[in-house]
Amino acid sequence: MAPSNDHRRDTVIDIGKPANFTGGLEFSALTYTVTKKSKNEEGKWFKQEVDLLHKITGFAPKGCITAVMGPSGAGKSTFLDGLAGRIASGSLQGKVSMDGKEMSPSVIKRTSAYIMQDDRLFPTLTVYETFMFAADLRLGPVSVTDKKQRVEKLIQQLGLSSARNTFIGDEGTRGVSGGERRRVSIGVDIIHGPSLLFLDEPTSGLDSTSAHSVIEKVHHIARSGSTVILTIHQPSSRIQLLLDHLIILARGQLMYQGSPKDVAIHLGRMGRKVHKEESPIEYLIDVIQQYDQSELGVEALAEFARTGIKPPFLVDGEVSFATILPTPTPPHHGGYGHHGEGHEDKGRSGKRLPLQTSTHIANDFDHSVRSPYNTNSRSWTPTHSGLMQKMHRFTPSRQPADQKMQSPMSASPGYNYSSEVLPSTPTPHSSDYTVNENDYLTPDIGPNTKSYHHLGPKFANSFFPETWILMRRNFINIRRTPELFLSRLVVLTFMGFLMATMFTNPPRSSQGITNRLSFFIFTVCLFFFSSNDAVPAFIQERFIFVRETAHNAYRASSYTIAGLITFLPFLALQASVYAGIVWFALGLRGPFLYFLVVLYVSLLSTNSFVVFVSSVVPNYILGYAAVIAFTALFFLFCGYFLNSDDIPKGWKWMNHVSTMTYPYEGLIINQYQTNDTFGNNTDGTNITGFNILEGLRINYGKPPHTLSGSKKWEKVFIMLGMTVLYRILFYLVIRFTSKNQRT
């Protein structure tokens, strides 16, 4: 009895490996299901589960470039993320193994590198400095001499010698070319010798020459012993010569797997002939898109890839397939030869003309299909056929129980991955480079290893050396972008002189006291606003942080501490310049040191708060909007407009969380905690400093009218506590939410 289509769809077909398979990455039944909201014909929303990846099984051989291709929306990047452990645990079903040993996502991250589609690098660093910092972070306690030698060799092997001392640059600063930047991105992630290398669209945005140069370098890396898997869209004919293994997807399903040379054979079995001037890979993707746009969808092609049953015809005005073909002869010269006799009509130019509706009934299964990994053919007996049938029922013939179903979609019997064949694969200009496996790879985890759990420490460096490396890099970036802090310093200097001229010699009256209070609140607001440039600071670095920490280059904690320590001297300079200008010009009283400390700690707390906000928001616009909103709220509840005791009980908490409350009250206590007279009441009585504090209902310490029990240092400690709190919150956000992975 023939199994039903539904049963067959749920059955996982094992795709075997060549008999001479020498190791690499294997994956089985990878399935990634998400829940999407859709609208029905009645306009009502409903939830629907969709497979972005559907039971994909296959392998990526070691020492080869495996290219993942397919039309738009095929799931290429999703598939790459699934292999690289970048899909949240529990969301991805299936198994991923390396050299026959199952690997968890965390282990994959420690043994692999992932080069993103966008180049995320520091524009102010040179190529050499970028590689040296990568070596410091990824190689651990290796001597500086060894690191330099490795960096120099890597620069030479990636063809970056002429750009060695060139800045990376960005949109506003001229730097290396696009192809060189892409090679730098690759070099940064392979400097520690990963056994697995994932690349997402490495040729995107590059011209033909630069794209070929990038893939050529990746080809050398693969030949040195790495397992390389990349997604690529419309590779040129020169790039296709560098690809060893091909995986073609559509709608999250496997359409083809095997040698690029055998794509024409695969098409021939479907009843398609490839013209000698046409790329079989592009032709296959065209066929996939034709089915995708029909009622049948790509399921029919996925069924053919799994079982060998020919896809149904496209009828009723849709594109059709030719009928029965004899077994095609093996392709030659990369699979660009003639195969079979049934074909579409072509013009003299060799381009396909619009296909016509077929009225022929073809055999449902190509009996010439043989297992790609052995010479034993599989015989199938279809139970039903018809033009309008979307999926065929079938009954496999009797086979020995120990034989496994094989896929008809892979390499021809003559194609293997043995070490004798790999070096002889054509590589344009390969003689220009000398590739040594030790240049790229750290000691490999061979097949004799019992498990992948003993891989050494998770991070290459301990906490303190790691923090120092990040601090050095931060200082270089700051030194080469002085406008970031100079602009803030210039603003504070200018505003200091402005305050010194506006609020000098206040009258000894209630108005003079009001003027002095206005100076204090303006100073607090000015220092809060001066920290707003911290919003783009982290947002700009966020993608670099995600890329570097995705594979354990350093800890989120060391990044947090390094960022804080780096800014300490610059914030101290800003506070000192402003304090020195206004203190003596306005004749402020109280200890100058306390005045300076309050301004400095105020900068620390507000800077930490803004950095925390920047880690939560996704972009500059929302970041600035959030900071402005909180500035208004903190300003409203800091105690200037309403005394702290007069704020309604429901909003009291806002007074406590406002970062402006404590520097404002601290500056006032420092100024007015004295019995000195600052004016006269209407009745002629003197107004002392303690009278002002009591009138503002500021708790300056008990007993009253004495300096003992002063609470002004308490304000400093609270601001320091806020600094620590916001930095901890910042750490938690980047540690647990700033991850480049799918949920």
Side-chain angles (χ1 to χ4, degrees):
M1 179 177 179
S4 65
N5 289 338
D6 292 338
H7 172 76
R8 184 158 39 85
R9 244 181 230 116
D10 293 335
T11 302
V12 178
I13 305 301
D14 177 56
I15 298 179
K17 301 179 292 298
N20 52 6
F21 182 72
T22 57
L25 192 70
E26 304 167 60
F27 43 92
S28 174
L30 289 186
T31 301
Y32 178 41
T33 305
V34 298
T35 302
K36 291 186 176 181
K37 287 187 177 181
S38 303
K39 185 180 291 187
N40 57 22
E41 297 178 355
E42 300 176 355
K44 295 182 179 180
W45 290 95
F46 66 95
K47 293 183 178 180
Q48 182 181 16
E49 288 192 346
V50 179
D51 282 354
L52 299 186
L53 299 176
H54 183 70
K55 297 184 178 178
I56 300 178
T57 298
F59 63 96
K62 183 178 180 180
C64 298
I65 293 182
T66 297
V68 182
M69 298 179 62
S72 298
K76 301 184 292 293
S77 295
T78 305
F79 174 66
L80 199 69
D81 288 345
L83 295 180
R86 291 156 63 91
I87 293 179
S89 178
S91 299
L92 181 70
Q93 299 177 354
K95 183 175 71 173
V96 179
S97 304
M98 186 68 179
D99 297 333
K101 298 174 179 59
E102 186 172 354
M103 301 177 71
S104 65
S106 60
V107 174
I108 292 176
K109 289 180 180 180
R110 295 173 63 181
T111 57
S112 68
Y114 191 107
I115 289 84
M116 301 179 185
Q117 185 172 347
D118 298 325
D119 300 315
R120 303 295 183 178
L121 303 166
F122 286 102
T124 58
L125 298 179
T126 65
V127 172
Y128 175 78
E129 290 171 339
T130 300
F131 282 153
M132 278 303 299
F133 278 116
D136 288 337
L137 291 171
R138 305 305 292 268
L139 299 182
V142 179
S143 68
V144 177
T145 302
D146 291 340
K147 291 178 182 177
K148 288 182 178 180
Q149 290 178 351
R150 189 154 186 168
V151 166
E152 294 290 355
K153 189 172 293 184
L154 186 60
I155 288 175
Q156 182 181 4
Q157 290 167 339
L158 291 175
L160 294 169
S161 299
S162 60
R164 180 183 184 278
N165 296 315
T166 305
F167 290 109
I168 300 298
D170 55 14
E171 295 81 0
T173 307
R174 188 175 181 84
V176 297
S177 66
E180 289 171 337
R181 184 180 290 108
R182 190 61 50 85
R183 278 178 271 160
V184 173
S185 296
I186 295 173
V188 165
D189 283 315
I190 68 170
I191 197 165
H192 64 298
S195 57
L196 279 171
L197 181 60
F198 301 98
L199 301 98
D200 188 14
E201 295 283 359
T203 62
S204 177
L206 301 179
D207 59 82
S208 177
T209 302
S210 298
H212 178 264
S213 176
V214 168
I215 299 301
E216 189 178 39
K217 302 306 181 294
V218 174
H219 183 270
H220 290 304
I221 296 171
R223 287 298 182 266
S224 68
S226 291
T227 302
V228 178
I229 306 174
L230 57 86
T231 60
I232 192 167
H233 185 66
Q234 292 183 337
S236 65
S237 57
R238 291 195 302 167
I239 290 179
Q240 290 182 25
L241 292 175
L242 299 174
L243 306 180
D244 305 302
H245 190 64
L246 193 62
I247 294 174
I248 297 181
L249 305 177
R251 300 291 181 186
Q253 300 187 66
L254 191 60
M255 300 288 104
Y256 174 82
Q257 178 178 221
S259 168
K261 299 178 182 179
D262 295 321
V263 175
I265 296 178
H266 185 74
L267 286 165
R269 289 165 179 163
M270 287 195 298
R272 294 276 185 158
K273 178 186 176 183
V274 183
H275 193 273
K276 63 180 180 179
E277 296 180 0
E278 190 169 25
S279 167
I281 297 175
E282 293 181 4
Y283 187 10
L284 178 56
I285 293 178
D286 288 345
V287 172
I288 293 171
Q289 290 178 319
Q290 291 167 6
Y291 268 85
D292 190 26
Q293 295 168 5
S294 71
E295 285 188 7
L296 295 174
V298 298
E299 287 78 8
L301 298 181
E303 185 74 11
F304 174 71
R306 288 195 302 267
T307 65
I309 294 181
K310 285 187 177 180
F313 294 115
L314 297 178
V315 295
D316 293 340
E318 296 177 328
V319 185
S320 70
F321 288 103
T323 55
I324 304 173
L325 281 179
T327 304
T329 57
H332 58 85
H333 191 61
Y336 288 88
H338 293 274
H339 301 283
E341 298 176 359
H343 60 86
E344 307 145 18
D345 294 331
K346 295 183 173 64
R348 294 181 180 179
S349 63
K351 295 183 178 179
R352 296 193 307 279
L353 300 177
L355 301 178
Q356 305 298 322
T357 303
S358 174
T359 58
H360 298 284
I361 299 177
N363 185 12
D364 293 325
F365 180 74
D366 183 1
H367 292 276
S368 67
V369 172
R370 294 178 179 271
S371 169
Y373 308 127
N374 56 57
T375 57
N376 297 324
S377 63
R378 299 288 180 183
S379 176
W380 299 84
T381 304
T383 62
H384 193 68
S385 66
L387 290 174
M388 301 301 297
Q389 206 176 353
K390 292 186 177 180
M391 301 301 295
H392 295 276
R393 298 175 181 271
F394 68 98
T395 303
S397 61
R398 297 180 179 273
Q399 297 288 345
D402 59 341
Q403 285 187 345
K404 292 185 178 180
M405 188 181 302
Q406 302 292 343
S407 170
M409 64 177 175
S410 192
S412 61
Y415 184 79
N416 63 51
Y417 302 106
S418 68
S419 58
E420 290 79 17
V421 173
L422 289 179
S424 63
T425 301
T427 305
H429 312 299
S430 61
S431 60
D432 297 339
Y433 302 91
T434 302
V435 180
N436 185 343
E437 180 174 349
N438 295 326
D439 296 337
Y440 289 109
L441 295 177
T442 51
D444 189 21
I445 303 174
N448 296 327
T449 306
K450 295 183 179 180
S451 70
Y452 281 97
H453 297 294
H454 305 287
L455 300 176
K458 185 175 182 180
F459 298 96
N461 300 284
S462 58
F463 177 80
F464 291 107
E466 191 174 86
T467 303
W468 172 242
I469 295 170
L470 294 174
M471 287 174 56
R472 286 194 295 111
R473 189 173 69 177
N474 289 342
F475 278 119
I476 291 177
N477 287 326
I478 292 173
R479 189 179 76 243
R480 291 178 181 169
T481 53
E483 61 274 9
L484 180 65
F485 284 95
L486 282 179
S487 59
R488 191 188 301 183
L489 185 62
V490 169
V491 168
L492 289 176
T493 302
F494 173 76
M495 296 306 298
F497 281 110
L498 189 62
M499 295 296 100
T501 55
M502 282 189 62
F503 292 98
T504 185
N505 299 321
R508 297 182 62 81
S509 63
S510 58
Q511 183 60 46
I513 297 172
T514 301
N515 293 347
R516 188 52 51 91
L517 294 177
S518 299
F519 161 75
F520 288 134
I521 191 61
F522 183 86
T523 297
V524 172
C525 290
L526 174 64
F527 273 56
F528 192 99
F529 277 113
S530 67
S531 298
N532 285 5
D533 57 5
V535 173
F538 175 72
I539 293 178
Q540 222 170 11
E541 291 185 12
R542 176 186 290 158
F543 296 103
I544 300 177
F545 168 82
V546 170
R547 177 181 62 81
E548 293 179 331
T549 56
H551 296 275
N552 303 329
Y554 50 81
R555 302 165 180 82
S557 57
S558 60
Y559 178 84
T560 303
I561 298 299
L564 175 62
I565 296 176
T566 302
F567 292 127
L568 290 180
F570 298 98
L571 298 180
L573 178 61
Q574 294 166 23
S576 300
V577 169
Y578 183 85
I581 294 173
V582 301
W583 176 266
F584 300 101
L586 298 181
L588 301 178
R589 67 163 308 281
F592 171 76
L593 177 62
Y594 181 82
F595 181 79
L596 175 61
V597 168
V598 168
L599 295 183
Y600 180 47
V601 178
S602 174
L603 275 178
L604 287 177
S605 60
T606 55
N607 182 269
S608 298
F609 171 76
V610 174
V611 167
F612 163 65
V613 172
S614 68
S615 68
V616 176
V617 298
N619 52 55
Y620 303 116
I621 298 176
L622 288 178
Y624 279 121
V627 169
I628 291 173
F630 278 109
T631 302
L633 289 174
F634 290 168
F635 186 29
L636 178 62
F637 290 98
C638 70
Y640 176 75
F641 297 101
L642 284 177
N643 293 334
S644 300
D645 292 344
D646 296 333
I647 296 176
K649 291 184 178 180
W651 293 105
K652 275 278 189 183
W653 61 275
M654 281 297 301
N655 175 260
H656 296 303
V657 302
S658 172
T659 57
M660 295 185 185
T661 298
Y662 305 101
Y664 174 63
E665 292 184 352
L667 293 177
I668 292 177
I669 293 175
N670 191 55
Q671 176 71 19
Y672 293 116
Q673 194 175 25
T674 178
N675 280 317
D676 293 347
T677 301
F678 292 90
N680 299 315
N681 292 314
T682 55
D683 59 1
T685 58
N686 295 332
I687 302 176
T688 66
F690 287 116
N691 296 144
I692 296 172
L693 294 176
E694 291 170 356
L696 296 174
R697 298 181 182 178
I698 294 177
N699 184 6
Y700 55 88
K702 300 298 180 180
H705 310 306
T706 65
L707 296 181
S708 62
S710 174
K711 288 200 172 184
K712 66 180 185 180
W713 286 104
E714 182 180 286
K715 312 299 180 183
V716 174
F717 296 142
I718 292 176
M719 286 188 285
L720 287 174
M722 285 185 167
T723 301
V724 174
L725 173 64
Y726 287 128
R727 290 289 172 171
I728 292 176
L729 292 176
F730 170 76
Y731 162 75
L732 294 175
V733 170
I734 65 173
R735 172 67 176 81
F736 296 105
T737 65
S738 293
K739 295 182 179 180
N740 195 349
Q741 67 175 22
R742 303 170 188 261
T743 57

